């Protein structure tokens, strides 16, 4: 039975929560409804009994009333209106409402009349603590203490002064504390809502930054893949067209290499685009993606460049195979872009020296050709290839430099800091 009762609390709490949300929404839309309801409730519970008592002097205990005076019903009704009606603006003008009610309260007790509607003063104090300015509370406290002292003195013939002060000050303190607690709780909830909204905005910003970073990475990959392979294909096509009339077998070899290069480029493009289309609920039988190229694939890259007519001398030093996949991909793309630029701008009989060296925390790449030192292009403007190489090297705290080499030709040098990304070695 206990399990059933506890399990039924969930829907009850949910219904109460939804009801509270609807009430708060209705109060925000029509705030006057709640204010009018509070005034009506105070009148029915606290004012109406005094009016009925004034109309009919009942035989109830009169010990407390003997110490005070009796006002006519009209005077009593006027005092009740002065105490209750200001509650209509207790949320919009809490200090004004408290001041009016306190003035009527002091006037009422100066006349020697005790009314149940005096509870409105404590409601006004609660509203001031909840909705008013905090610097107004000391003034309100002083006014409240003076009013309470007046009540204790007027009722001293029936109730001891200290007993009356203790009861009234305790009631005022409870009203003030309750208003402050509700105020603090609302401020905490507002802070939590603001923090949740801020976190949602930050999450969206991180998502947009991640999307922009991924787009940049994909654009860099596409540039390297398409730029290099198209340069090789164009060079091979020119060589094949030149050799078609003089050496048909060389033309056939060029066509075969063009096909191999195109298929390789198509495979890499499918790999990059396939990663973009990957989803968690994708079909299990999708095409298998090839791994990212690494340093082991630089030999094949050099062979393709040699087939295009350039002489490439490639050597490595250090434990290059122990580098992690990200570093190897960066090295491969830098070498690929450098060789692509060599094929574009170097002479047909240029010789390329490629060296990759690894020390403990440093990796260096040097690509030097014997072609012309000058590279065509707008003055003071770098191509996208060099920018892409520098972006890749920056991921590992590295730098890339390019310029004329000693003795002629062109040189590209890159240095990666393997310790900056904890290069897995």
């Amino acid at each position: 039975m206990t399990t059933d009762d506890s399990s039924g609390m969930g829907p009850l709490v949910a219904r109460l929560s939804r009801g509270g949300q609807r009430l708060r929404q209705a109060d925000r839309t029509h705030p006057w409804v709640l204010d009018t309801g509070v005034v009506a409730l105070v009148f029915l519970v606290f004012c109406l009994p005094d009016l009925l008592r004034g109309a009919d002097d009942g035989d109830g205990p009169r010990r407390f009333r003997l110490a005070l005076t009796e006002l006519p019903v009209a005077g009593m009704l006027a005092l009740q209106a002065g105490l209750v009606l200001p509650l209509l603006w207790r949320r919009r003008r809490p200090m004004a409402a408290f001041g009016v009610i306190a003035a009527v309260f002091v006037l009422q007790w100066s006349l020697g009349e005790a009314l149940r509607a005096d509870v409105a003063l404590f409601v006004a104090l609660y509203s001031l603590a909840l909705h008013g300015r905090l610097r107004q509370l000391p003034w309100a406290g002083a006014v409240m203490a003076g009013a309470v002292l007046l009540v204790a003195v007027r009722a001293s013939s029936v109730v001891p002064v200290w007993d009356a002060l203790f009861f009234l000050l305790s009631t005022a303190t409870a009203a003030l504390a309750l208003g402050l607690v509700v105020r603090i709780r609302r401020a905490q909830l507002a802070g939590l809502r603001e923090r949740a909204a801020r976190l949602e905005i930050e999450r969206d910003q991180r998502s947009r930054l991640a999307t922009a970073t991924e787009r940049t990475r994909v654009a860099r990959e596409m540039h390297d893949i398409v730029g290099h392979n198209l340069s090789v294909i164009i060079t091979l096509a020119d060589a094949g067209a030149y050799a078609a009339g003089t050496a048909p077998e060389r033309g056939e070899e060029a066509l075969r290499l063009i096909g191999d290069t195109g298929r390789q480029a198509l495979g890499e493009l499918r790999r990059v685009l396939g990663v973009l289309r990957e989803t968690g609920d994708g079909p299990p039988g999708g095409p298998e993606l090839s791994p990212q190229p690494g340093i082991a694939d630089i030999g094949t890259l050099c062979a393709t460049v040699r087939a295009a007519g350039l002489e490439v001398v490639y050597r490595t030093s250090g434990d290059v195979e122990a580098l992690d996949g990200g570093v190897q991909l960066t090295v491969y793309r830098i070498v690929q872009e450098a060789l692509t630029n060599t094929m574009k701008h170097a002479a047909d009989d240029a010789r390329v020296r490629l060296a990759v060296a690894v020390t403990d925390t440093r990796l260096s790449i040097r690509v030097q050709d014997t072609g012309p030192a000058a590279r065509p292009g707008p003055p003071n403007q770098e191509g996208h290839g060099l920018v892409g190489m520098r972006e890749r090297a920056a991921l590992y705290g590295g730098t890339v430099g390019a310029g004329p080499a000693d003795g002629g030709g062109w040189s590209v040098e890159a240095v990666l800091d393997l310790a900056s990304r904890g290069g897995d070695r």
Side-chain angles (χ1 to χ4, degrees):
M1 292 300 293
T2 304
T3 304
D4 294 338
D5 293 341
S6 62
S7 62
M9 291 297 292
L12 177 60
V13 172
R15 286 194 295 270
L16 291 176
S17 177
R18 288 193 297 269
Q21 291 177 357
R22 286 193 291 268
L23 288 176
R24 286 191 294 271
Q25 180 63 33
D27 182 49
R28 285 192 294 268
T29 306
H30 305 289
W32 57 270
V33 175
L34 178 60
D35 296 334
T36 305
V38 170
V39 172
L41 180 63
V42 172
F43 177 79
L44 291 175
V45 175
F46 299 100
C47 296
L48 194 58
D50 283 338
L51 291 175
L52 296 177
R53 183 201 69 192
D56 179 16
D57 291 334
D59 297 330
R62 302 173 56 86
R63 176 169 165 245
F64 183 71
R65 282 187 288 155
L66 287 175
L68 301 173
T69 60
E70 290 289 342
L71 292 177
V73 176
M76 185 186 304
L77 186 59
L79 290 175
Q80 289 178 344
L83 291 170
V84 175
L85 290 181
L87 295 178
L88 288 172
W89 63 83
R90 64 184 181 86
R91 293 192 291 180
R92 296 187 299 275
R93 298 289 187 270
M95 188 61 187
F98 177 82
V100 172
I101 294 174
V104 176
F105 181 88
V106 171
L107 174 63
Q108 167 214 322
W109 279 94
S110 299
L111 297 175
E113 175 69 11
L115 297 175
R116 292 181 177 88
D118 291 338
V119 72
L121 183 63
F122 299 100
V123 176
L125 181 63
Y126 162 81
S127 300
L128 179 61
L130 178 57
H131 303 290
R133 298 176 181 177
L134 294 180
R135 65 172 179 266
Q136 296 172 341
L137 292 182
W139 297 99
V143 172
M144 193 71 183
V148 166
L149 181 60
L150 174 63
V151 174
V153 172
R154 294 291 294 182
S156 60
S157 60
V158 178
V159 181
V161 174
W162 294 112
D163 291 346
L165 282 176
F166 174 78
F167 174 76
L168 294 174
L169 288 177
S170 298
T171 306
T173 303
L176 182 64
L178 180 60
L180 291 176
V181 167
V182 175
R183 183 186 189 125
I184 294 172
R185 178 59 178 169
R186 289 184 179 179
Q188 290 176 341
L189 292 177
L192 289 176
R193 286 192 292 268
E194 181 181 357
R195 182 172 181 271
R198 187 170 61 251
L199 289 176
E200 186 175 356
I201 294 174
E202 291 177 357
R203 182 197 62 189
D204 295 339
Q205 290 176 343
R206 286 194 299 268
S207 177
R208 286 194 293 269
L209 288 175
T211 301
T213 302
E214 183 65 13
R215 287 176 177 173
T216 303
R217 185 191 69 82
V218 171
R220 194 164 50 230
E221 288 284 317
M222 297 288 287
H223 172 270
D224 293 340
I225 294 171
V226 175
H228 170 76
N229 288 287
L230 282 181
S231 297
V232 173
I233 289 174
I234 291 172
T235 303
L236 290 174
D238 292 340
Y242 175 78
T246 58
E249 67 280 358
R250 296 294 300 276
E252 293 178 0
E253 182 181 1
L255 291 175
R256 180 178 57 79
L257 290 174
I258 288 174
D260 293 341
T261 304
R263 280 188 291 272
Q264 178 184 355
L266 183 61
E268 292 193 44
L269 289 176
R270 283 176 175 171
R271 173 182 55 77
V272 174
L273 298 178
V275 170
L276 292 179
R277 290 195 302 265
E278 262 189 342
T279 56
D281 53 355
E288 197 172 322
L289 301 177
S290 60
Q292 296 270 27
I295 292 180
D297 300 296
I298 294 180
T300 305
L301 182 65
C302 293
T304 304
V305 175
R306 292 190 191 100
L310 296 179
E311 181 182 353
V312 181
V313 178
Y314 170 49
R315 63 182 179 84
T316 63
S317 62
D319 191 5
V320 295
E321 298 297 333
L323 298 172
D324 73 317
V327 176
Q328 294 200 30
L329 176 62
T330 298
V331 173
Y332 180 88
R333 293 304 185 197
I334 292 176
V335 171
Q336 185 184 53
E337 182 60 35
L339 293 177
T340 300
N341 290 336
T342 299
M343 286 190 298
K344 288 180 180 178
H345 305 296
D348 295 338
D349 57 348
R351 187 169 183 266
V352 182
R353 292 192 298 272
L354 168 61
V356 179
V358 178
T359 59
D360 290 336
T361 60
R362 186 172 181 271
L363 185 148
S364 61
I365 306 167
R366 182 179 176 85
V367 182
Q368 182 177 349
D369 62 62
T370 59
R375 292 297 197 255
N380 301 325
Q381 183 175 347
E382 296 177 345
H384 294 291
L386 185 57
V387 174
M389 286 191 285
R390 285 176 174 164
E391 289 177 353
R392 289 183 179 276
L395 295 176
Y396 295 91
T399 58
V400 175
D406 297 336
W410 193 264
S411 175
V412 175
E413 296 185 8
V415 177
L416 305 183
D417 183 6
L418 301 180
S420 65
R421 289 281 293 265
D424 301 335
R425 304 227 29 246

